[in-house]
Amino acid sequence: MNKRDMRRYIRSLHEGREARDKQSALLCQHIIDDPAYIHASVVGGYLPMDREADVKPVLLDALARDKTLALPLCGAAPQMTLRRVTSLDELMPGAYGIPEPPREAPIIPAEMVELLLVPLEGIDAQGFRLGKGGGFYDCLLPHISGITMGCALSWQWTKRVPQDAWDVPLACCADADGIHIFSNRNDA
């Protein structure tokens, strides 16, 4: 199955808003309790689209703990920068209907991010993620020196994600059951 067909298939498995919200609450608690998050002073996150795990509780927790929070700002595809956010109230309507930091928000270099929460359409047991197809995270992930953590809902797990030469596996993935560490995680 190619990536486009896999995206369509996984989207068809979506169990609805109630299941998404319930699983998101559990995965957020696992992230907040995880040592990688606890010890990270610079956390990158995302604002979810409808079929993605909602990590807003983690974002709010990071701000409450005075962590540096970096959220994506999309440029011309596939360019994306991480920008410092001090309140979710400062976000503005952005690309693809996703709230984004204002353009004047300070850039946080990818190399400074100690933990990056990554949205996904699908993920496999080797840490390869299936994104939306725009290439934004494909361009960002190679520059992250910290831990990359996918955020998955139960129906987003798949046996094998088709891989291209540029795909970078994630270090771990949070879901409603806990944190799954992949064999490529450098601090495991």
Side-chain angles (χ1 to χ4, degrees):
M1 185 179 307
N2 64 37
K3 287 184 176 183
R4 192 180 91 226
D5 291 342
M6 183 171 276
R7 273 185 208 95
R8 187 176 300 122
Y9 173 71
I10 291 172
R11 288 175 185 159
S12 76
L13 300 175
H14 187 262
E15 295 178 4
R17 179 93 185 209
E18 186 177 329
R20 171 201 176 218
D21 292 348
K22 182 178 178 183
Q23 289 187 34
S24 293
L26 292 169
L27 82 82
C28 284
Q29 193 57 56
H30 292 304
I31 294 169
I32 289 169
D33 293 340
D34 189 69
Y37 172 77
I38 292 168
H39 298 299
S41 59
V42 181
V43 175
Y46 66 92
L47 271 296
M49 296 180 88
D50 286 341
R51 296 174 191 259
E52 295 172 339
D54 184 350
V55 297
K56 282 185 277 192
V58 178
L59 308 182
L60 293 169
D61 184 82
L63 291 170
R65 293 185 194 214
D66 289 327
K67 294 178 182 286
T68 297
L69 179 61
L71 296 178
L73 176 67
C74 293
Q79 300 303 312
M80 181 170 72
T81 56
L82 295 173
R83 305 290 178 120
R84 183 170 188 163
V85 172
T86 56
S87 168
L88 297 187
D89 294 336
E90 67 192 60
L91 301 177
M92 307 176 74
Y96 310 101
I98 304 168
E100 294 181 328
R103 298 217 171 269
E104 62 273 7
I107 293 175
I108 302 294
E111 299 81 14
M112 290 182 58
V113 177
E114 296 169 69
L115 175 66
L116 178 67
L117 304 179
V118 184
L120 49 83
E121 288 281 332
I123 191 161
D124 65 24
Q126 290 73 46
F128 286 97
R129 72 180 276 279
L130 180 67
K132 298 254 187 270
F136 292 97
Y137 281 89
D138 292 326
C139 290
L140 178 67
L141 288 172
H143 303 287
I144 301 292
S145 55
I147 295 170
T148 53
M149 181 182 290
C151 299
L153 302 165
S154 61
W155 54 87
Q156 293 176 317
W157 285 97
T158 188
K159 185 173 183 175
R160 184 179 178 278
V161 169
Q163 299 167 24
D164 290 310
W166 56 81
D167 288 328
V168 175
L170 302 176
C172 56
C173 187
D175 68 10
D177 295 328
I179 307 290
H180 307 271
I181 299 172
F182 304 122
S183 60
N184 63 332
R185 184 165 165 174
N186 56 10
D187 69 337

